[in-house]
Amino acid sequence: TSYAIAAWPTAAFIAKMDDDTALVSLSYAAAVAMLLLADAPQPPQPPPAQQRRARDRHSAMIFAGFIQYASFLPEVFRGCGWSPIPKDALAGAVSPRSTCHSGLDFRHPTHTAASGGRAPNVTVRGPFPFAAGMLQLLSAPLARLTFGHAWTRAFAARARNRTLPWPRKWVCQNEDITIGYAVHETTSRTNASVSVVALRGHGVSARPLLADEAEAVRERLPVEQLLAVHHFDPVE
């Protein structure tokens, strides 16, 4: 993401998707992005507001995609307590039976419930929204804030520390949750206001703009009205 920001400094949005996601239409994606940017809440503006509106549009903080919710264990660089529903993610952050508090065995690489005990000094951060891997869309100002922040650089340095024992190494899994965690921590530290836009997920009443291939076929969704198709297999 840091490379993308530097390589395309005039881009309005930075997008990331899984390697089995098919972007249906670049022009449609651009149209959706512009609508998101236009509809984003604007901060209070002193007069003359008309002269500042264009600049404020380019400072909008937007996080969009298949929105889900999770927490994070920063000492071991792992997401936990995932749920597609906010209230369930909140319960997962505090429940002793959730993956945030049980099933952590730091003697094994998989962290499965061999002992059922929780390692000491492991904190839970969250819950927070994140965009699932099928498509993550960050406005350029949000991407610059998140990945240019000193907190993010320090987090990455700790995660890449090769001297850490295996259970505490960052294995770069669930990068979508990790990006959501970075957005959460950096915007909280800067008191930034972020518009989270669900293109698919809990609370979306209209037809989702993101779909799995099997779902698109089963529901006969009009492909031209989708932004992206996940689990896409061109052979099929």
PDB file of all heavy atoms in Angstrom, residues 29-41:
ATOM      1  N   ALA A  29     -15.894   0.798 -11.238  1.00  0.00           N
ATOM      2  CA  ALA A  29     -15.213   0.983  -9.962  1.00  0.00           C
ATOM      3  C   ALA A  29     -14.902   2.458  -9.736  1.00  0.00           C
ATOM      4  O   ALA A  29     -15.077   2.985  -8.632  1.00  0.00           O
ATOM      5  CB  ALA A  29     -13.931   0.161  -9.935  1.00  0.00           C
ATOM      6  N   ALA A  30     -14.461   3.135 -10.794  1.00  0.00           N
ATOM      7  CA  ALA A  30     -14.154   4.555 -10.678  1.00  0.00           C
ATOM      8  C   ALA A  30     -15.419   5.360 -10.375  1.00  0.00           C
ATOM      9  O   ALA A  30     -15.402   6.296  -9.577  1.00  0.00           O
ATOM     10  CB  ALA A  30     -13.508   5.060 -11.959  1.00  0.00           C
ATOM     11  N   ALA A  31     -16.535   4.976 -11.007  1.00  0.00           N
ATOM     12  CA  ALA A  31     -17.797   5.684 -10.773  1.00  0.00           C
ATOM     13  C   ALA A  31     -18.249   5.516  -9.329  1.00  0.00           C
ATOM     14  O   ALA A  31     -18.696   6.476  -8.684  1.00  0.00           O
ATOM     15  CB  ALA A  31     -18.869   5.171 -11.731  1.00  0.00           C
ATOM     16  N   VAL A  32     -18.147   4.287  -8.801  1.00  0.00           N
ATOM     17  CA  VAL A  32     -18.524   4.040  -7.409  1.00  0.00           C
ATOM     18  C   VAL A  32     -17.631   4.846  -6.475  1.00  0.00           C
ATOM     19  O   VAL A  32     -18.099   5.460  -5.509  1.00  0.00           O
ATOM     20  CB  VAL A  32     -18.442   2.535  -7.083  1.00  0.00           C
ATOM     21  CG1 VAL A  32     -18.578   2.307  -5.577  1.00  0.00           C
ATOM     22  CG2 VAL A  32     -19.532   1.769  -7.827  1.00  0.00           C
ATOM     23  N   ALA A  33     -16.334   4.855  -6.765  1.00  0.00           N
ATOM     24  CA  ALA A  33     -15.403   5.606  -5.928  1.00  0.00           C
ATOM     25  C   ALA A  33     -15.752   7.087  -5.904  1.00  0.00           C
ATOM     26  O   ALA A  33     -15.722   7.740  -4.859  1.00  0.00           O
ATOM     27  CB  ALA A  33     -13.974   5.408  -6.431  1.00  0.00           C
ATOM     28  N   MET A  34     -16.084   7.638  -7.051  1.00  0.00           N
ATOM     29  CA  MET A  34     -16.424   9.056  -7.108  1.00  0.00           C
ATOM     30  C   MET A  34     -17.715   9.347  -6.347  1.00  0.00           C
ATOM     31  O   MET A  34     -17.856  10.384  -5.708  1.00  0.00           O
ATOM     32  CB  MET A  34     -16.554   9.502  -8.554  1.00  0.00           C
ATOM     33  CG  MET A  34     -15.232   9.557  -9.321  1.00  0.00           C
ATOM     34  SD  MET A  34     -13.999  10.637  -8.517  1.00  0.00           S
ATOM     35  CE  MET A  34     -12.938   9.429  -7.711  1.00  0.00           C
ATOM     36  N   LEU A  35     -18.686   8.422  -6.401  1.00  0.00           N
ATOM     37  CA  LEU A  35     -19.916   8.595  -5.639  1.00  0.00           C
ATOM     38  C   LEU A  35     -19.632   8.572  -4.144  1.00  0.00           C
ATOM     39  O   LEU A  35     -20.184   9.369  -3.377  1.00  0.00           O
ATOM     40  CB  LEU A  35     -20.926   7.502  -5.998  1.00  0.00           C
ATOM     41  CG  LEU A  35     -21.633   7.648  -7.347  1.00  0.00           C
ATOM     42  CD1 LEU A  35     -22.472   6.413  -7.631  1.00  0.00           C
ATOM     43  CD2 LEU A  35     -22.511   8.900  -7.356  1.00  0.00           C
ATOM     44  N   LEU A  36     -18.766   7.654  -3.719  1.00  0.00           N
ATOM     45  CA  LEU A  36     -18.393   7.592  -2.312  1.00  0.00           C
ATOM     46  C   LEU A  36     -17.740   8.897  -1.884  1.00  0.00           C
ATOM     47  O   LEU A  36     -18.021   9.443  -0.815  1.00  0.00           O
ATOM     48  CB  LEU A  36     -17.437   6.428  -2.065  1.00  0.00           C
ATOM     49  CG  LEU A  36     -17.981   5.013  -2.263  1.00  0.00           C
ATOM     50  CD1 LEU A  36     -16.876   3.998  -2.035  1.00  0.00           C
ATOM     51  CD2 LEU A  36     -19.144   4.743  -1.339  1.00  0.00           C
ATOM     52  N   LEU A  37     -16.855   9.392  -2.713  1.00  0.00           N
ATOM     53  CA  LEU A  37     -16.143  10.620  -2.394  1.00  0.00           C
ATOM     54  C   LEU A  37     -17.097  11.805  -2.320  1.00  0.00           C
ATOM     55  O   LEU A  37     -16.996  12.657  -1.446  1.00  0.00           O
ATOM     56  CB  LEU A  37     -15.067  10.884  -3.458  1.00  0.00           C
ATOM     57  CG  LEU A  37     -14.028  11.969  -3.142  1.00  0.00           C
ATOM     58  CD1 LEU A  37     -13.273  11.613  -1.876  1.00  0.00           C
ATOM     59  CD2 LEU A  37     -13.066  12.123  -4.298  1.00  0.00           C
ATOM     60  N   ALA A  38     -18.076  11.840  -3.244  1.00  0.00           N
ATOM     61  CA  ALA A  38     -19.024  12.949  -3.279  1.00  0.00           C
ATOM     62  C   ALA A  38     -19.975  12.922  -2.089  1.00  0.00           C
ATOM     63  O   ALA A  38     -20.393  13.967  -1.599  1.00  0.00           O
ATOM     64  CB  ALA A  38     -19.825  12.916  -4.574  1.00  0.00           C
ATOM     65  N   ASP A  39     -20.310  11.708  -1.611  1.00  0.00           N
ATOM     66  CA  ASP A  39     -21.286  11.577  -0.535  1.00  0.00           C
ATOM     67  C   ASP A  39     -20.666  11.615   0.851  1.00  0.00           C
ATOM     68  O   ASP A  39     -21.382  11.589   1.847  1.00  0.00           O
ATOM     69  CB  ASP A  39     -22.068  10.267  -0.689  1.00  0.00           C
ATOM     70  CG  ASP A  39     -23.000  10.299  -1.894  1.00  0.00           C
ATOM     71  OD1 ASP A  39     -23.316  11.415  -2.353  1.00  0.00           O
ATOM     72  OD2 ASP A  39     -23.381   9.224  -2.372  1.00  0.00           O
ATOM     73  N   ALA A  40     -19.343  11.641   0.917  1.00  0.00           N
ATOM     74  CA  ALA A  40     -18.686  11.620   2.220  1.00  0.00           C
ATOM     75  C   ALA A  40     -19.015  12.881   3.010  1.00  0.00           C
ATOM     76  O   ALA A  40     -19.069  13.980   2.447  1.00  0.00           O
ATOM     77  CB  ALA A  40     -17.171  11.516   2.040  1.00  0.00           C
ATOM     78  N   PRO A  41     -19.266  12.750   4.315  1.00  0.00           N
ATOM     79  CA  PRO A  41     -19.552  13.934   5.128  1.00  0.00           C
ATOM     80  C   PRO A  41     -18.398  14.926   5.071  1.00  0.00           C
ATOM     81  O   PRO A  41     -17.230  14.535   5.114  1.00  0.00           O
ATOM     82  CB  PRO A  41     -19.713  13.356   6.546  1.00  0.00           C
ATOM     83  CG  PRO A  41     -20.007  11.908   6.342  1.00  0.00           C
ATOM     84  CD  PRO A  41     -19.302  11.513   5.076  1.00  0.00           C
TER      85      PRO A  41
END
